[in-house]
């Protein structure tokens, strides 16, 4: 009240200089004042502004409450009509920061999928996401899931129920109404259970293996071996899932992760994907013509026996030099197959071999490679990358340096 009074007196004091010399004719006029007479700072217009602003805020709030959505979704709509993020995905504010990276679109034979909206650089962080919900990594009973579903906000619920499922855990002949507005609590549970099973990712929380649903990441389809271009992982130190680009990706390419260990021949991959996710993989590697597919199978099937051979070094049945030779063969295999996912870990293991045999030069070369690839897969600032960088910077203080017989084991041939 006091404020508006002082405004009024201030405005009133201005009036004389604006008042035309013949006030009687003007004051009776109902028409709009001429432009040069219009002054927003007059007492009348100020009081209108002060009335209109709260009214607009109230109207906006009333409209927002009707929207069944989140404030960021509304803001995103208002300020960025080209935003690539659907309202249903906006249960986590950080999603707004990755909205220019990919579009979620319908893809023939796959449901939805993510398509790069621009060129993406190797090592770029593409998704950073908190779990929408978590459940223990075991069968999910109705008594556990129902209260979790009841606790979801409307945006979270929308995000969850927009996801895909492969099969529902129904009793014989049981029909399930899929309309979330009219379904019974049991039908809602069955649908949610199917969605969680099809989309959840294994994470470690409080030392326990847990399943988490991450709706943004859940749109990523599967590709085998060289076909997938992203690496995902749970970052325990920040309690969030991160997805990084393993390779340079062109605008328009589909973004793919690997749901299974795809270092195996086609038949095994197809069977595993069918059992766990209910689809027959049609990725570029699974769609190779027969001759090329045979060649690809032959190469991919070499990874496991080669790594088994390398691991004999831990038991002392092969020398450090032999172990490093095998690791270099594995590295060549990653080049031949385009399977680059585990390079960071493999280089780290080779660095350890070189370290304990006191071959500091080779250890440093392997550690540099390990830092590079761990940063691509898990980020430059991840605990894994930082630990490797620390080992590289402080190799001379490594507690196991030269703890086995001294040997020149050899560095990476890349
Ligand atoms: C985690 S979801 C991926 C996103 C899903 N396409 C969607 O529409 O939300 C897993 C499901 O996607 C489909 N899918 C994933 N990768 C596929 C592929 N390579 N070929 C065919 N279908 C695939 C399968 O239906 C699978 O059960």
């Amino acid at each position: 009240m006091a404020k508006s009074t002082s405004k009024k007196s201030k405005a009133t004091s201005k009036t004389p200089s604006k008042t035309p010399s013949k006030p009687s004719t003007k004051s009776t006029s109902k028409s709009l004042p001429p432009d040069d007479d219009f002054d927003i700072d007059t007492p009348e217009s100020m009081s209108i502004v002060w009335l209109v602003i709260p009214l607009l805020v109230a109207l906006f709030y009333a409209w927002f409450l009707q929207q069944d959505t989140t404030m960021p979704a509304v803001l995103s709509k208002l300020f960025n009509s080209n935003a690539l993020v659907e309202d249903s995905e906006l249960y986590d504010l950080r999603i707004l920061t990755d909205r220019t990276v990919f579009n979620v679109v319908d893809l023939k034979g796959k449901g939805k999928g993510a398509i790069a909206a621009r060129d993406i650089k190797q090592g770029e962080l593409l998704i950073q996401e908190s779990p929408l919900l978590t459940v223990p990594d075991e069968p999910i009973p109705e008594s556990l899931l129902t209260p979790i579903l009841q606790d979801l906000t409307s945006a979270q619920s929308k995000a969850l129920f927009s996801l895909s499922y492969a099969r529902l855990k129904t009793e014989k002949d049981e029909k399930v109404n899929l309309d979330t507005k009219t379904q019974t609590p049991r039908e809602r549970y069955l649908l949610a259970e199917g969605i969680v099973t099809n989309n959840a990712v294994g994470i470690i929380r409080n030392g326990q293996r847990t399943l988490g649903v991450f709706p943004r990441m859940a749109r990523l389809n599967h590709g085998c071996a060289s076909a997938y271009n992203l690496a995902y992982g749970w970052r325990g130190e920040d309690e969030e899932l991160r997805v990084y680009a393993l390779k340079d990706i062109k605008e328009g390419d589909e973004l793919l992760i690997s749901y299974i260990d795809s270092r195996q021949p086609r038949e095994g991959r197809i069977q595993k994907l069918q059992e766990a996710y209910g689809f027959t993989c049609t990725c570029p590697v699974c769609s190779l013509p027969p001759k090329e597919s045979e060649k690809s199978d032959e190469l991919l099937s070499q990874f496991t026996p080669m790594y088994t051979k390398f691991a004999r070094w831990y038991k002392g049945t092969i020398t450090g030099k032999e172990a490093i030779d095998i690791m270099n063969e594995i590295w060549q295999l990653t080049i031949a197959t385009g399977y680059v996912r585990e390079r960071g870990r493999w280089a780290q293991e080779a660095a350890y071999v070189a370290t304990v045999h006191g071959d500091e030069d080779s250890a440093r070369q392997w550690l540099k490679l390990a830092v590079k690839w761990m940063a691509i897969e898990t980020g430059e600032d991840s605990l894994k990358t930082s630990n490797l960088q620390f080992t590289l910077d402080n190799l001379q203080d490594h507690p196991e340096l030269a703890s086995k017989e001294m040997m020149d084991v050899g560095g990476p041939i890349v």
Side-chain angles (χ1 to χ4, degrees), residues 132-240:
L132 173 64
L133 63 82
T134 56
V135 287
D137 186 10
E138 50 198 52
I140 314 163
E142 191 169 349
S143 57
L144 178 93
L145 197 52
T146 300
I148 295 176
L149 297 177
Q150 280 163 353
D151 277 353
L152 297 180
T153 65
S154 129
Q156 288 171 331
S157 196
K158 233 176 177 174
L160 179 73
F161 285 101
S162 71
L163 298 179
S164 68
Y165 60 89
R167 51 182 84 91
L168 301 181
K169 213 179 64 174
T170 46
E171 302 292 331
K172 197 168 170 281
D173 295 335
E174 192 179 10
K175 292 255 181 310
V176 178
N177 170 14
L178 298 176
D179 182 349
T180 52
K181 292 205 172 76
T182 56
Q183 61 195 173
T184 62
R186 172 158 174 84
E187 287 169 333
R188 192 168 170 78
Y189 155 71
L190 285 171
L191 180 56
E193 200 274 344
I195 288 173
V196 171
T197 308
N198 199 41
N199 294 280
V201 174
I203 62 177
I204 305 291
R205 244 186 170 182
N206 306 324
Q208 299 270 67
R209 199 179 138 82
T210 305
L211 296 179
V213 177
F214 303 86
R216 184 94 170 125
M217 179 266 184
R219 293 301 184 195
L220 301 173
N221 286 319
H222 165 90
C224 295
S226 63
Y228 69 93
N229 44 24
L230 309 181
Y232 68 92
W234 174 244
R235 202 185 253 225
E237 62 268 34
D238 297 319
E239 290 267 302
E240 66 189 21

Side-chain angles (χ1 to χ4, degrees), residues 260-322:
I260 56 163
D261 172 8
S262 59
R263 288 183 278 117
Q264 53 176 315
R266 183 173 181 272
E267 210 182 293
R269 301 194 306 263
I270 296 229
Q271 190 186 339
K272 181 84 193 144
L273 289 165
Q274 192 52 257
E275 278 166 17
Y277 298 93
F279 70 92
T280 301
C281 188
T282 51
C283 80
V285 183
C286 288
S287 312
L288 285 171
K291 271 251 160 354
E292 286 174 52
S293 182
E294 236 172 70
K295 178 81 190 140
S296 154
D297 282 358
E298 190 202 316
L299 288 173
L300 286 170
S301 59
Q302 288 177 30
F303 273 113
T304 304
M306 264 192 201
Y307 181 76
T308 309
K309 249 164 102 185
F310 168 85
R312 288 196 201 133
W313 174 81
Y314 291 104
K315 294 186 183 148
T317 56
I318 60 170
T319 69
K321 171 94 181 70
E322 285 168 328

